[in-house]
Amino acid sequence: MSRRYLPLLTGLAALVLAGTACAPEETSTAEAPASCAKEDLNLKTPGKLTVATDKPAFEPWFSGDDPSNGEGFESAVTYAVAEELGFAENEVAWTVQPFDSAYAPGPKKFDFDVNQISVTPERAKAVTFSDGYYTVRQAVVTLGDSKYAGATTMAELKDASIAVQVGTTSLQAVKEQIAPGEQPKVFNTQIDAVNALKNEQVDLLVVDLPTAFYVTAAQIDGAKIVGQLPHRDGDTEHFGLLLERGNPLVSCLNEAIGALKSSGELQKIEDKWLAAEGDAPLLK
């Protein structure tokens, strides 16, 4: 990890640098509300914006396992979106929603979920997504003394045992791009997948790139990023805010995200909390 990332690590104490395939940013056909004024929104709790995420809430997306503190990329994005919609900080209520059940079909107990959830055509059949608020690549992590540490191509990783979290696009990327001879080992939580690498139960871990920086900086001593996986078939991968299928609130969320992009505020939040992709080589 390069020295220029060290200032970003103030967010374990403000540390930077926790899955995730391809789809267009605009995915909803829900009818827009007549107004995006706070009082006109159809919310789970009137006057409150109920936001869900998983627990624990990992760095660099959140800080200190506390989504409500406004620190970490997704916490900061949430409060920026809320402000665009006219909500004060104390009008944002957080609730816990496990990652792998967030995109299951059916009613939701939240207005939207923010949890590094990539927009995919399969998921969009069951839920509604906002426009993308972050474009991400998958990355491969290994131990520094691993025989795979110096790999520069995906072909060199085919004989490796690989850990991924269940339900993530990391799993899809491993199967489609690395296509290992051994089926990837799938773990229920991200921390279980990280520990599998830490305890040398597997050779590699595949996660999104910012998480990979966090793993190597704070979770596994001596770990290194082998490289990033290229986007598949020329498509990019986006994280989107997740809503109950057909929830018209999505149009207001898209307006808010669009405003944050146009003003440069979304980029400022990304620059503050997430490391740049350029410091991890692209695997061929």
Side-chain angles (χ1 to χ4, degrees), residues 180-263:
E182 176 184 331
Q183 284 295 311
K185 291 180 168 56
V186 181
F187 295 86
N188 287 332
T189 67
Q190 179 184 298
I191 194 62
D192 288 341
V194 170
N195 285 335
L197 177 62
K198 185 176 182 178
N199 297 328
E200 301 185 34
Q201 296 170 282
V202 295
D203 301 311
L204 307 174
L205 167 70
V206 176
V207 289
D208 57 77
L209 183 61
T211 299
F213 278 113
Y214 178 62
V215 169
T216 57
Q219 292 185 298
I220 305 179
D221 290 340
K224 66 164 291 185
I225 297 174
V226 180
Q228 306 173 59
L229 299 180
H231 291 304
R232 283 167 288 174
D233 301 322
D235 290 326
T236 55
E237 180 176 345
H238 303 282
F239 292 161
L241 305 176
L242 181 152
L243 304 87
E244 185 174 311
R245 179 69 178 165
N247 188 341
L249 177 63
V250 70
S251 62
C252 297
L253 295 180
N254 288 344
E255 281 190 24
I257 292 170
L260 292 171
K261 288 179 178 178
S262 296
S263 68

Side-chain angles (χ1 to χ4, degrees), residues 9 16 18 32 41 47 63 67 73-74 88 92-93 143 195 201 216 240-241 249:
L9 296 178
V16 173
L41 299 178
S63 181
F73 178 71
E74 289 190 324
V92 177
L143 302 179
N195 285 335
Q201 296 170 282
T216 57
L241 305 176
L249 177 63

